[in-house]
Amino acid sequence: MTATAPGEAEDAAAERFLARLLAFEGRPAATAGQGKDPVNEAMIRHWCEAMGDANPAYTGPDAIAPPTMLQAWTMGGLSGHTARSGAYDELLALLDGAGCTSVVATDCEQEYLRPLRPGDTVTFDAVIESVSPRKTTRLGSGHFVTTRMDIRAGGEPVGTHRFRILKYAPAAPRPAAAAPPPAAPPRGSGRPRRPRPVVNRDNQGFWDGVRDHRLLIQRCTSCATLRFPWLPGCNACASPDWDTVEACGDATVFSYVVMHHPPFPAFDPPYAVALVELAEGVRMITNITGVPYDAVRIGMPVRLEFLQADEDLELPVFRAGTEG
């Protein structure tokens, strides 16, 4: 009788488990599903407002839905879909039983075959496309599961949506390391420094303007569309050519949230984070100064100023009211 080394036994068990997982490839994850609502103008409007997308193709009598809304028409909401298959639940249960009880969505891929229009009724089928061998990540070790959803309208293919999750066993917490000695506070301040903005070749001009106390907005030189934040190309006509216009400094609070948690060393919660609409029509996220956090209101007029956060960081913010 030949003894099996512990490592060989573990490898053999892992291979058998992977074979059980791979048997799910090609099995349905959902069959004959139907969107809970037809493609409709209200949802398109809400999406475009949330995304700040003013493309005229999404309004008017010949409107189409933004292609990136593809998944929105197939979502089941909190009550789920009756079309979900038992195979998908079996696969997840098998992974749960192996200790992979946590899940995180990792990425998705979409392919658009034709635009959706208001009134289209969406139907779909989904298949378990692949299950990966066991992978080790910083979150823990587990298996990537990819599903592919084929979406139709009126029986005609309109797009494909691939969605990938990681079902994993959480990694054991690392032993706490000895705390490093506290860093010296920045010159002239006992407060921790704010996080540094990421400055790259696409937004360098914006931060150059801030240094000169100018709030610069990109303008496409092909179609004159203004855009903010700065991007390498126009989201209306795709032209890479642009120049800038200087904001006059007037704005109104379009929306805001009050941050209570989590605390961060450079900030003192609660504080308001606002989305302001500039007089030029674009919006930006900023802080509101001049009034308490609980006095910020939607529609409140505000005025641009520049805040010296520390010795080498200056930020555009907006002031409401007057100093007392």
Side-chain angles (χ1 to χ4, degrees), residues 264-281:
F264 192 84
F267 300 89
D268 294 321
Y271 55 91
V273 177
L275 178 66
V276 300
E277 184 166 89
L278 306 185
E280 291 75 16

Side-chain angles (χ1 to χ4, degrees), residues 24 48 65 102 119 168 203 215 260 262 271 312:
F24 284 89
C48 290
S102 296
Y168 65 98
N203 65 13
L215 182 60
H260 294 270
Y271 55 91
D312 60 2

Side-chain angles (χ1 to χ4, degrees), residues 24-160:
F24 284 89
E25 292 185 347
R27 296 181 65 182
T31 304
Q34 181 169 320
K36 291 196 168 181
D37 297 284
V39 178
N40 62 84
E41 294 174 355
M43 283 296 293
I44 293 172
R45 184 179 71 253
H46 294 323
W47 178 281
C48 290
E49 288 179 354
M51 297 297 177
D53 193 338
N55 192 316
Y58 306 144
T59 60
D62 298 319
I64 62 172
T68 48
M69 286 188 75
L70 187 65
Q71 186 187 16
W73 308 115
T74 65
M75 286 182 162
L78 295 178
S79 58
H81 271 300
T82 58
R84 182 161 161 166
S85 77
Y88 193 70
D89 290 333
E90 291 172 22
L91 172 59
L92 298 187
L94 183 61
L95 289 165
D96 285 340
C100 299
T101 54
S102 296
V103 62
V104 62
T106 61
D107 61 284
C108 70
E109 301 172 10
Q110 294 183 339
E111 180 182 7
Y112 313 118
L113 303 177
R114 81 141 170 94
L116 287 165
R117 294 180 171 82
D120 281 340
T121 297
V122 167
T123 59
F124 59 89
D125 294 290
V127 65
I128 301 168
E129 188 170 67
S130 66
V131 184
S132 78
R134 196 171 186 92
K135 303 289 186 180
T136 299
T137 73
R138 294 190 66 177
L139 293 174
S141 67
H143 299 266
F144 290 93
V145 178
T146 304
T147 54
R148 187 192 75 244
M149 180 178 288
D150 297 311
I151 303 166
R152 298 173 297 276
E156 178 185 0
V158 295
T160 300

Side-chain angles (χ1 to χ4, degrees), residues 5 16 20 41 53 55-56 106 114 132 162 191 228 240 243-244 253 270 292 316:
R16 289 193 298 271
R20 293 178 66 189
E41 294 174 355
D53 193 338
N55 192 316
T106 61
R114 81 141 170 94
S132 78
R162 281 183 174 85
R191 292 175 54 83
F228 194 93
D243 60 10
T244 62
V253 175

Side-chain angles (χ1 to χ4, degrees), residues 273-299:
V273 177
L275 178 66
V276 300
E277 184 166 89
L278 306 185
E280 291 75 16
V282 298
R283 299 170 189 160
M284 66 177 289
I285 295 174
T286 184
N287 289 124
I288 303 297
T289 65
V291 295
Y293 71 89
D294 54 358
V296 178
R297 295 290 183 268
I298 291 174

